[in-house]
């Protein structure tokens, strides 16, 4: 039987509820998308939410239906309700980490940077930590500390924030000598005003291709054994705990890899387990084309056998091929790419103390 991750969930409820209200146009916080996201990651065996529940009467019913244990932190005169809830939540999490060895993952639902030391301590105790927070109210310090960080706003099932409607706005009457607005113009204005405030454009898939290629190259160069899709995903999350393939329009990580394979960024082969393919960089294809491009540009610039300096050469390649990027091929720098081209025999590369630069020539 496959061993499932056992998850303990801790909600700093006031931080989440107020963050959702203040940053999502007054929308109410919904626990269900968080529960669904965690169900895909393992079995949740502990669910606790901390707050002064006299301020969240309606929310109590919603959480109780989801089997969340409500920890009461009453507001007292002269005491800080926020600090009391934070300390109680941190103490309970550490206590559980020592008493329940079978719990492998802790989920800290808060955007408060005060929980960063708790995250560090749990990871020190060999626990995986997933953070959850509202994007607009999450401290920049918290996500990098976690193994994975989920922005509540991006979870499946979270409604898009309501936008201001044109209803109730005064209709602009054309002034003397002015023509009424055309229907197409009004539609464009409505689309512009209907766009959610702060909505991000789609993530750049080309930048993602660079990230994946560099990561695969790093794994191949620094560790033994094959690079599987699951291992690659874990490494990407270590680099950026907020990484999610859904931000780029892909439903699964496998779908993302197949897209990159179709564009010759990576190659996929059967892996050690079903559904976990081996990922590698193409041995030929675009790399050989890029070496040929470098050879051609060096030959054109260095007519009569004159050497070409490395400085400024990359710009010359981009003039010939605007989409050129050595990072898409898995190279960390343009110099590393040129060294690989020299190793393959496409060009000659040497250091010149007189020019204080690398010089390239084509091989005859």
């Amino acid at each position: 039987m496959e061993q499932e991750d056992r998850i303990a969930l801790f909600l700093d409820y006031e931080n989440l509820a107020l963050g959702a209200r203040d940053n999502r146009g007054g929308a109410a916080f919904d626990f269900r998308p968080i529960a669904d996201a965690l169900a895909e990651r393992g079995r949740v065996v502990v669910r606790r939410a901390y707050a002064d529940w006299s301020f969240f009467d309606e929310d109590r019913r919603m959480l109780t239906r989801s089997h969340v244990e409500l920890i009461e932190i009453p507001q007292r005169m002269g005491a800080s309700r926020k600090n009391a809830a934070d300390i109680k939540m941190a103490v309970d999490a550490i206590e559980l980490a020592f008493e329940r060895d079978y719990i492998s993952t802790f989920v800290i639902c808060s955007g408060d940077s005060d929980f960063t030391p708790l995250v560090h301590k749990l990871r020190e105790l060999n626990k995986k930590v997933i953070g959850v927070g509202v994007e607009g109210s999450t401290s920049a310090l918290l996500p990098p500390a976690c193994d994975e960080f989920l922005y509540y706003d991006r979870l499946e099932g979270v409604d898009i924030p309501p936008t201001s409607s044109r209803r109730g706005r005064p209709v602009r009457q054309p002034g003397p000598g002015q023509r009424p607005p055309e229907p197409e113009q009004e539609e464009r204005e409505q689309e512009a005003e209907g766009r959610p405030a702060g909505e991000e454009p789609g993530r750049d898939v080309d930048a993602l291709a660079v990230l994946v290629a560099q990561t695969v190259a790093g794994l191949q160069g620094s560790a033994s054994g094959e690079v599987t899709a699951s291992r690659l995903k874990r490494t990407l999350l270590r680099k950026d705990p907020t990484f999610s393939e859904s931000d780029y329009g892909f439903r699964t990580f496998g779908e993302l890899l197949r897209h990159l394979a179709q564009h010759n960024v990576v190659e996929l082969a059967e892996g050690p387990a079903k559904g976990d393919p081996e990922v590698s960089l193409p041995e030929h294809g675009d790399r050989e084309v890029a070496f040929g491009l470098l050879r051609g540009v060096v030959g054109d610039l260095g007519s009569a056998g004159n050497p070409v300096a490395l400085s400024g050469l990359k710009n010359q390649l981009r003039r010939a091929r605007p989409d050129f990027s050595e990072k898409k091929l898995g190279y960390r720098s343009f110099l590393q790419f040129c060294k690989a081209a020299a190793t393959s025999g496409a060009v000659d590369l040497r250091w010149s103390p007189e020019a204080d630069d690398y010089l390239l020539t084509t091989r005859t």
Side-chain angles (χ1 to χ4, degrees), residues 114-178:
D114 291 348
F115 286 106
T116 305
L118 171 63
V119 172
H120 288 317
K121 180 56 66 175
L122 289 171
R123 296 186 68 183
E124 184 181 327
L125 294 171
N126 198 30
K127 305 297 184 182
K128 179 180 178 180
V129 181
I130 300 175
V132 182
V134 178
E135 193 161 6
S137 62
T138 295
S139 167
L141 298 175
L142 188 58
C146 301
D147 293 293
E148 183 180 4
F149 196 90
L150 307 175
Y151 283 117
Y152 169 77
D153 320 58
R154 303 180 189 177
L155 295 178
E156 185 176 352
V158 176
D159 295 330
I160 296 175
T163 58
S164 56
S165 173
R166 290 177 58 89
R167 294 177 183 176
R169 291 187 54 190
V171 179
R172 290 177 296 179
Q173 297 295 337
Q178 291 182 331

Side-chain angles (χ1 to χ4, degrees), residues 10-11 47-53 68-74 85 88-89 92:
F10 293 84
L11 294 101
R47 302 183 183 191
R48 296 178 184 173
Y50 298 75
D52 184 341
W53 296 108
V68 177
E69 180 183 359
L70 306 183
I71 308 299
E72 179 73 33
I73 307 295
K88 172 63 174 170
M89 183 168 148
D92 285 358

